[in-house]
Amino acid sequence: MTIKKPLLIKQPEVGQLISELCGITGLIQEQFAASLGITYSTLNRCEKGHTKPSSLAMQKIEGMLEEMSDLGQKVSVKYLSN
């Protein structure tokens, strides 16, 4: 059994990633927050750079990126290549 580590990403990139994913998925912030299992206010603070999502929320973001195939890979490279 292998244990997968969550994405390691710092601000402001995590805020930019959240904003881009909201746009790609077509979800409003409230819907996107619910899909991550966090509140709208937490998502808003993450997007503005005041805090980072929990490791569980980051795992869900990673899952979304994996489900997006090529587009998800492009977004991953954009934010995680540094």
Side-chain angles (χ1 to χ4, degrees), residues 9-61:
I9 183 171
K10 297 180 180 180
Q11 286 292 8
E13 289 84 8
V14 73
Q16 295 166 349
L17 172 61
I18 289 170
S19 179
E20 187 163 342
L21 283 176
C22 281
I24 291 170
T25 60
L27 299 174
I28 60 173
Q29 284 185 327
E30 290 88 350
Q31 294 168 324
F32 191 74
S35 72
L36 297 179
I38 60 176
T39 64
Y40 164 75
S41 60
T42 299
L43 180 76
N44 194 320
R45 287 193 308 271
C46 293
E47 193 171 6
K48 290 184 178 186
H50 299 293
T51 190
K52 287 178 58 177
S54 68
S55 60
L56 181 59
M58 289 304 295
Q59 288 173 351
K60 290 182 179 182
I61 288 172

